[in-house]
């Protein structure tokens, strides 16, 4: 079976994807600098799958360390999760975001090229669509983004398109994730944000467990069915499975392929709160507050292309997403600590 290097494989999406890769019998090597994750994740992945993973503590910006990994292993493809991901933080420290996300990717691709490894799956984001009409489709124009984080994703997409245009041996998948939530149903791995969560679902579960007092719903006056913003929430395990399908595709062809990974359905913030309460029996204390700068009223995916070309579709509904989030939260009230 092919050997896959997962950069940022100890993170939220990376850890769930590594579990699915191991379940599908891929050999997995994880590289991470633990900027936003902890070593405990690795033993949890091994515990779920009963398989060993090879790990390197390495920063993707460190060329010499990357070369060592590529010279010690025969790598068939790379999934590049490693990066910084907070929209708010990116407005405060944009240079760090460009350095990590853009320079890190260029460094990685240079080393891949040197070792003739030209199969790459890149973690992109729905944020590249900006203000397009919904549902978002892969052939829509991109780049109208409102923050440095989103811009790094757009820039890397453009760099990878140029890379393929320069050398058609590359086989690259740009996966545009929508809003991943939930956790592995074992409750052994999940999302553990540093400090106060920025994202909706981790905030809700911290309120439910009593670590935060109240959720503020950012805006109740949008032009949507109940006035709150609409997003396409996807179970992280469904998202993870999309990566194994994308790998199958890029390992058997060359080109640059772009896929939305979303459910195609939108839920409002109030619907998410209700779904969480209904599926877990926990009350979520909330109030409606002002809008958050930069939020769009609604976005969700058209997920037909991934269905047609990868044979991928989501399995888990919103109740399962909420239940698995709560199971992870209850079993790990202090995260991995
Ligand atoms: P995460 O922070 O949990 O995981 C990222 C991992 O990369 C972490 O383990 C971190 O320690 C590691 N890392 C960061 N910089 C590194 C570097 N320079 N060298 C080595 N390792 C490094 O984030 P996630 O939610 O798992 O996201 C994974 C990818 O998906 C990111 O690129 C993110 O931008 C993208 N994405 C995430 C979302 C989301 O909502 N979670 C949505 C769209 C796209
Ligand atoms: N929200 C609240 N209160 C909170 C947190 C969020 O009401 O405390 C609302 C937001 O206003 C938004 C919705 O919940 O309407 C979802 O917000 P998130 O912050 O969870 O997610 P975003 O859609 O803003 O962004 C996420 C990731 C981005 C990624 C994007 C892809 O954070 O990195 O999905 O669609 F690019």
């Amino acid at each position: 079976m092919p050997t896959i290097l997962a950069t940022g494989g100890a993170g939220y999406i990376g850890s769930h994807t590594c579990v699915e890769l191991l379940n599908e019998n891929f050999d997995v090597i994880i590289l991470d600098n633990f900027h936003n994750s902890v070593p405990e994740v690795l033993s949890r992945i091994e515990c779920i799958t009963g398989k060993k993973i090879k790990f390197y503590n390495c920063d993707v910006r460190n060329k010499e360390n990357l070369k060592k990994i590529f010279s010690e292993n025969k790598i068939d493809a790379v999934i590049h999760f490693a990066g910084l991901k907070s929209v708010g933080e990116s407005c405060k420290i944009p240079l760090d975001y460009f350095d990590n996300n853009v320079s890190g990717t260029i460094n990685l691709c240079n080393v891949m090229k040197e070792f003739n490894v030209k199969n790459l799956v890149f973690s992109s984001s729905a944020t590249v669509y900006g203000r397009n009409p919904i549902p978002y489709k892969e052939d829509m124009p991109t780049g109208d983004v409102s923050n440095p984080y989103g811009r790094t994703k757009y820039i890397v997409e453009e760099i990878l398109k140029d890379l393929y245009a320069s050398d058609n041996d590359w086989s690259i998948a740009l996966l545009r994730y929508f809003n991943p939530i939930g956790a592995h149903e074992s409750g052994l791995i999940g999302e553990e944000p540093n400090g106060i969560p920025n994202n909706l679902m981790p905030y809700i579960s911290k309120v439910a467990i009593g670590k935060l007092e109240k959720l503020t719903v950012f805006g109740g006056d949008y032009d949507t069915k109940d006035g709150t913003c609409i997003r396409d929430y996807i179970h992280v395990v469904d998202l993870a499975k999309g990566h194994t399908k994308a790998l199958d595709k890029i390992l058997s062809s060359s080109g640059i392929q772009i896929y939305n990974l979303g459910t195609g359905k939108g839920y409002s913030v109030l619907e998410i709160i209700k779904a969480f309460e209904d599926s877990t029996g926990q009350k979520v204390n909330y109030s409606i507050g002002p809008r958050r700068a930069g939020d769009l009223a609604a976005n969700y995916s058209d997920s037909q292309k991934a269905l047609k070309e990868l044979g991928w579709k989501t399995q888990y509904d919103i109740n399962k997403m909420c239940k698995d989030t709560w199971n992870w939260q209850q079993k790990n009230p202090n995260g991995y600590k």
Side-chain angles (χ1 to χ4, degrees):
M1 282 300 281
T3 298
I4 312 301
L5 174 68
T7 75
Y12 173 49
I13 301 170
S15 57
H16 288 82
T17 303
C18 289
V19 165
E20 297 308 315
L21 292 172
L22 290 163
N23 286 343
E24 297 280 328
N25 291 320
F26 287 98
D27 286 324
V28 175
I29 300 168
I30 292 181
L31 159 180
D32 206 296
N33 67 354
F34 296 130
H35 175 84
N36 196 33
S37 54
V38 290
E40 172 66 15
V41 177
L42 306 172
S43 39
R44 303 271 181 111
I45 296 172
E46 291 182 342
C47 176
I48 293 171
T49 59
K51 290 181 180 163
K52 274 275 179 236
I53 26 177
K54 200 164 182 180
F55 174 75
Y56 288 89
N57 190 332
C58 168
D59 192 301
V60 280
R61 291 164 296 181
N62 185 326
K63 206 175 219 167
E64 289 318 306
N65 281 355
L66 278 184
K67 282 186 184 175
K68 185 170 175 286
I69 298 173
F70 279 81
S71 58
E72 286 179 7
N73 300 279
K74 201 208 145 295
I75 293 165
D76 296 291
V78 178
I79 310 184
H80 183 34
F81 299 103
L84 303 179
K85 65 163 180 176
S86 161
V87 171
E89 186 183 61
S90 78
C91 299
K92 296 192 187 106
I93 48 167
L95 294 178
D96 292 26
Y97 272 68
F98 286 107
D99 183 38
N100 208 326
N101 296 6
V102 180
S103 306
T105 307
I106 294 172
N107 204 39
L108 173 69
C109 289
N110 269 320
V111 175
M112 289 176 69
K113 189 173 148 199
E114 189 178 326
F115 286 83
N116 202 28
V117 178
K118 295 185 176 173
N119 297 311
L120 175 66
V121 175
F122 174 64
S123 295
S124 190
S125 166
T127 195
V128 300
Y129 287 111
R131 276 168 287 252
N132 271 292
I134 45 175
Y136 292 158
K137 288 179 105 142
E138 288 86 345
D139 57 3
M140 285 175 166
T142 51
D144 177 20
V145 285
S146 58
N147 60 76
Y149 164 71
R151 210 160 285 124
T152 67
K153 293 295 174 188
Y154 169 69
I155 291 170
V156 169
E157 284 201 359
E158 295 304 299
I159 290 172
L160 295 177
K161 288 177 194 168
D162 285 340
L163 179 61
Y164 172 70
S166 74
D167 174 359
N168 290 178
D169 286 344
W170 281 86
S171 187
I172 300 173
L174 308 177
L175 302 183
R176 294 177 179 159
Y177 308 157
F178 282 71
N179 290 50
I181 59 172
H184 192 266
E185 70 178 357
S186 63
L188 284 170
I189 55 173
E191 184 173 21
E192 181 52 25
N194 267 332
I196 297 177
N198 295 308
N199 297 114
L200 179 63
M201 189 49 98
Y203 206 108
I204 288 179
S205 65
K206 293 253 179 284
V207 170
I209 203 145
K211 296 223 171 227
L212 292 170
E213 199 193 322
K214 190 167 81 169
L215 170 78
T216 302
V217 175
F218 296 141
D221 57 352
Y222 284 98
D223 184 16
T224 58
K225 50 191 161 188
D226 60 18
T228 65
C229 291
I230 290 175
R231 295 287 181 275
D232 184 340
Y233 297 91
I234 173 172
H235 197 296
V236 67
V237 172
D238 275 329
L239 184 73
K241 288 179 176 165
H243 292 73
T244 66
K245 297 284 192 187
L247 272 178
D248 290 341
K249 173 89 180 176
I250 64 158
L251 287 168
S252 60
S253 59
S254 68
I256 185 134
Q257 331 277 347
I258 307 178
Y259 297 107
N260 287 341
L261 295 183
T263 64
K265 275 196 221 88
Y267 286 93
S268 73
V269 177
L270 293 181
E271 285 174 330
I272 293 294
I273 296 171
K274 179 153 189 337
F276 188 90
E277 290 183 335
D278 290 349
S279 54
T280 65
Q282 299 300 309
K283 194 94 198 89
V284 179
N285 189 15
Y286 75 90
S287 65
I288 310 264
R291 292 182 177 194
R292 179 171 71 178
D295 272 344
L296 296 170
N299 73 50
Y300 53 90
S301 64
D302 180 318
S303 47
Q304 287 308 303
K305 189 175 176 212
L307 174 63
K308 268 192 217 112
E309 296 187 13
L310 303 179
W312 172 86
K313 68 174 191 305
T314 55
Q315 280 179 288
Y316 301 124
D317 65 10
I318 196 68
N319 292 321
K320 172 82 172 149
M321 298 180 213
C322 293
K323 268 200 177 108
D324 287 343
T325 301
W326 183 234
N327 181 40
W328 153 254
Q329 181 69 81
Q330 276 184 303
K331 287 188 171 148
N332 306 270
N334 299 311
Y336 287 104
K337 284 177 209 91

